[in-house]
């Protein structure tokens, strides 16, 4: 069964990004909000963000609320902060597969990849 998962690592501190809000949107046929989660102590969702019959082929966007997380973590930030909401757009070509979309985050940069 296919599913979508994520996790966030704070590369400035070397720790999981706990308490970071993430929103999921479906982009096909307009922008439709599907789900909002907050990362747990391990920087992960408590389960798949999307799975089963709801996990469809298409275009999606994860919005990582990095600015709020970084402020709450006590990171030294400029005003305004360099990063705020990070939108990550990606496609699901095969809903039978596992798509893992992690975020590596610091106050001045981020990266992502398709993990396993």
């Amino acid at each position: 069964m296919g599913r979508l998962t994520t996790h966030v690592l704070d590369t400035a501190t070397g720790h999981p990004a706990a308490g970071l809000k993430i929103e999921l949107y479906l982009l096909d046929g307009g922008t439709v909000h599907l789900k909002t989660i907050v990362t747990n102590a391990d920087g992960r969702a408590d389960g798949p963000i999307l799975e089963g019959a709801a996990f469809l082929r298409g275009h999606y966007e994860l919005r990582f609320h990095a600015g709020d997380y970084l402020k709450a973590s006590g990171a030294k930030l400029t005003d305004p902060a360099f990063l705020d909401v990070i939108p990550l757009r990606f496609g699901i070509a095969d809903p039978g597969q596992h798509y893992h979309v992690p975020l590596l985050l610091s106050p001045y940069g981020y990266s992502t990849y398709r993990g396993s």
Side-chain angles (χ1 to χ4, degrees), residues 47-93:
I49 299 172
L50 203 57
E51 66 182 330
F55 190 58
L56 303 172
R57 184 177 188 280
H59 299 92
Y60 293 85
E61 181 175 279
L62 285 168
R63 293 181 190 170
F64 295 86
H65 289 258
D68 291 341
Y69 161 78
L70 291 166
K71 287 175 198 163
S73 75
K76 186 176 179 181
L77 303 173
T78 57
D79 185 19
F82 180 67
L83 293 175
D84 191 14
V85 178
I86 299 171
L88 238 139
R89 291 188 173 191
F90 58 97
I92 301 297

Side-chain angles (χ1 to χ4, degrees), residues 32-47:
V32 178
H33 177 259
L34 299 177
K35 192 171 195 178
T36 299
I37 62 111
V38 175
T39 57
N40 61 23
D42 196 31
R44 299 176 182 274
D46 288 328

Side-chain angles (χ1 to χ4, degrees), residues 6 10 20 24 27 39 42 44 56 90 92 98 100-101:
T6 189
D10 184 332
L20 192 144
L24 175 66
L27 302 177
T39 57
D42 196 31
R44 299 176 182 274
L56 303 172
F90 58 97
I92 301 297
H98 178 193
H100 184 66
V101 183

